[in-house]
């Protein structure tokens, strides 16, 4: 995206990209400009810290961190910025994401990371959550969020109506 990014989506490894794609789809739909990076709390700690330190001055408003295993990425980023940080726990073997969930959700008091659903649903939810933060000061994003919710409600109602017809056959 060429427009100045409002959201940064960081993943600990390119292997997390499948989950991250769910977030990018939402940002594309909502026309929210983003930047996407691979940076690791353990493998590239200096780059991650530097990115977090500069993010606010670059115009970033929310940072999403997707990571698996000993998932310290969100914590390391949150330690270096006061921007809101959202973590997506990525499931992996042998603990199926409980490891990443606990690493993210058990931040010590003083350095918060907001954690969303683990795995692919978390990709989508992280972006919707970021959009709701941006919507506090952006009426267009607020309107898009309301449209999204209304469309989602209509889809479920249509599915229910279809089911009732099928059951009557
Ligand atoms: C974490 O370790 C990454 O976020 C990824 O989920 C996990 C495994 O990384 P790779 O071995 O696939 O690079 O840092």
């Amino acid at each position: 995206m060429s427009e100045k990014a409002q959201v940064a989506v960081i993943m600990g490894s390119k292997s997390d990209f499948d989950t991250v794609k769910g977030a990018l789809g939402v940002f594309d739909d909502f026309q929210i400009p983003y930047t996407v990076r691979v940076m690791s709390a353990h493998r590239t700690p200096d780059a991650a810290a530097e990115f977090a330190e500069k993010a606010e001055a670059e115009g970033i408003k929310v940072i999403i961190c997707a990571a698996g295993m000993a998932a310290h990425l969100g914590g390391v980023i949150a330690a270096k910025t006061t921007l809101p940080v959202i973590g997506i726990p990525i499931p992996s073997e042998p603990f199926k994401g409980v490891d990443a969930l606990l690493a993210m959700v058990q931040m010590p008091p003083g350095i918060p990371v907001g954690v969303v659903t683990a795995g692919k649903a978390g990709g989508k939810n992280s972006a919707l959550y970021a959009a709701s933060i941006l919507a506090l000061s952006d009426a267009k994003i607020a309107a898009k969020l309301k449209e999204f919710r209304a469309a989602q409600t209509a889809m479920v109602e249509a599915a229910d109506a279809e089911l009732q017809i099928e059951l009557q056959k």
Side-chain angles (χ1 to χ4, degrees):
M1 274 222 171
S2 51
E3 236 183 304
K4 214 165 168 24
Q6 292 193 53
V7 180
V9 186
I10 309 173
M11 64 202 101
S13 166
K14 179 86 189 300
S15 65
D16 302 324
F17 192 47
D18 250 10
T19 297
V20 164
K21 278 182 197 160
L24 307 187
V26 173
F27 292 136
D28 287 337
D29 288 348
F30 280 59
Q31 295 176 305
I32 295 172
Y34 54 81
T35 184
V36 196
R37 301 288 304 273
V38 176
M39 277 186 287
S40 164
H42 307 112
R43 294 164 176 159
T44 63
D46 296 337
E50 191 186 340
F51 183 89
E53 275 172 343
K54 292 183 174 165
E56 191 173 356
E58 300 279 343
I60 301 288
K61 294 188 174 128
V62 183
I63 303 179
I64 293 172
C65 296
M69 305 186 88
H72 298 133
L73 182 60
V76 162
I77 295 289
K80 292 285 189 180
T81 181
T82 52
L83 292 172
V85 176
I86 302 171
I88 313 170
I90 304 287
S92 63
E93 293 299 328
F95 299 115
K96 304 187 190 319
V98 175
D99 43 359
L101 171 67
L102 292 178
M104 286 183 183
V105 87
Q106 279 295 86
M107 285 296 292
I111 307 291
V113 172
V115 182
V116 295
T117 323
K120 285 197 178 170
K124 184 172 182 176
N125 273 356
S126 70
L128 290 169
Y129 192 36
S132 69
I133 293 169
L134 297 174
L136 293 171
S137 56
D138 186 320
K140 274 191 195 155
I141 296 175
K144 281 188 185 340
L145 262 177
K146 287 186 171 47
E147 275 168 33
F148 167 83
R149 287 291 184 97
Q152 184 169 250
T153 300
M155 269 173 58
V156 174
E157 287 169 352
D160 180 53
E162 203 179 290
L163 177 69
Q164 299 315 313
I165 292 166
E166 278 173 31
L167 292 174
Q168 280 167 14
K169 281 179 189 165

